[in-house]
Amino acid sequence: MPGEILVSLLLLVGGGFTLLGSVGLARLPDFFTRMHGPTKATTLGVGAIVLASLAHVGAREDGAGLRELAITLFLFITAPVTAHLLSKAALAEARRRDAAQGAGAGAPPPGE
Amino acid sequence: MLTTFAVPAATGMVALAMALSLWRLVRGPSRPDRILALDTLNVNAIALVMLLDIGLGTAVYFEAALIVAMMGFVGTVALCKFLLSGDIIE
């Protein structure tokens, strides 16, 4: 029974953070603020759900559960790469738009 | 059985999250917004597959979740590269 409570708690935490990340993605006003929302869904949401699966399945078949940590590890490794590329793409897109509107329109793009 | 309540509740929350990301994917003002929404949709799909795993009490769909994660990463990187240079493989 304590295992059940742990699995249920982890599932609810994971589902809640996943929902929260997507609410942030849908509601925040700007692209760079929107990027910050789904990172919670990636790390805490999927992390908690994977931990719940680890506690649920791994308790019965020994050794079968540890593989599931590979998903979390993979997501933790790839999330910064994705965020970096996405922000670079967004900056390039904004710069292209500013160049199309002509020089002097709005603030200069950050960086460079 | 506490998990008989927790698994459908978490599935509902993840489904709602997928609906919100889909809304951003359809509406997103710029192209990076749509890529970000697609990436979020991918992460939510991984969570959904893991929830199916827990609900059925098996570890059968673990490989499916791992493949969804890998394909999603490759797809996001390819789309970002396309936005950056107008070309995926240079």
Side-chain angles (χ1 to χ4, degrees), chain B residues 44-86:
Chain B
N44 292 349
I46 298 167
L48 208 57
V49 173
M50 296 304 291
L51 280 172
L52 181 69
D53 233 3
I54 298 172
L56 294 181
T58 62
V60 178
Y61 296 102
F62 156 76
E63 279 88 3
L66 199 56
I67 286 186
V68 168
M70 286 181 177
M71 290 296 136
F73 172 64
V74 172
T76 308
V77 169
L79 284 169
C80 286
K81 286 287 288 177
F82 178 70
L83 274 201
L84 272 175
S85 56

Side-chain angles (χ1 to χ4, degrees), chain A residues 1 4-5 7-9 11-16 18-28 30-31 34-36 38 41-42 45-46 49-50 52-53 56-57 60-61 64 67-71 74-75 78-79 81-82 85-86 88-90 92-93 96-97, chain B residues 1-7 9-10 13-14 16-18 20-21 23-24 28-37 39-40 43-44 46-48 50-51 53-59 62-63 65-66 69-71 73 76-77 79-86:
Chain A
M1 199 57 190
E4 291 264 314
I5 293 173
V7 169
S8 307
L9 207 64
L11 280 179
L12 290 183
V13 166
T18 310
L19 182 56
L20 212 61
S22 282
V23 168
L25 177 72
R27 294 279 303 163
L28 286 172
D30 178 14
F31 174 76
R34 258 177 234 144
M35 258 181 66
H36 139 90
T42 307
V46 176
I49 288 178
V50 163
S53 173
H56 189 248
V57 178
R60 265 180 279 167
E61 313 159 27
R67 295 180 308 166
E68 319 212 328
L69 279 180
I71 293 178
F74 187 77
L75 280 179
T78 57
V81 181
T82 309
L85 274 171
L86 264 173
K88 264 172 82 176
E93 191 93 335
R96 218 174 290 145
R97 199 180 49 229
Chain B
M1 288 297 277
L2 225 51
T3 44
T4 49
F5 291 107
V7 171
M13 284 193 261
V14 173
L16 196 57
M18 287 181 98
L20 284 169
S21 328
W23 183 77
R24 178 55 72 193
S30 66
R31 291 187 292 178
D33 276 310
R34 293 178 209 273
I35 301 176
L36 179 63
D39 191 53
T40 311
V43 171
N44 292 349
I46 298 167
L48 208 57
M50 296 304 291
L51 280 172
D53 233 3
I54 298 172
L56 294 181
T58 62
F62 156 76
E63 279 88 3
L66 199 56
M70 286 181 177
M71 290 296 136
F73 172 64
T76 308
V77 169
L79 284 169
C80 286
K81 286 287 288 177
F82 178 70
L83 274 201
L84 272 175
S85 56

Side-chain angles (χ1 to χ4, degrees), chain A residues 29 62 67 87:
Chain A
D62 39 10
R67 295 180 308 166
S87 51

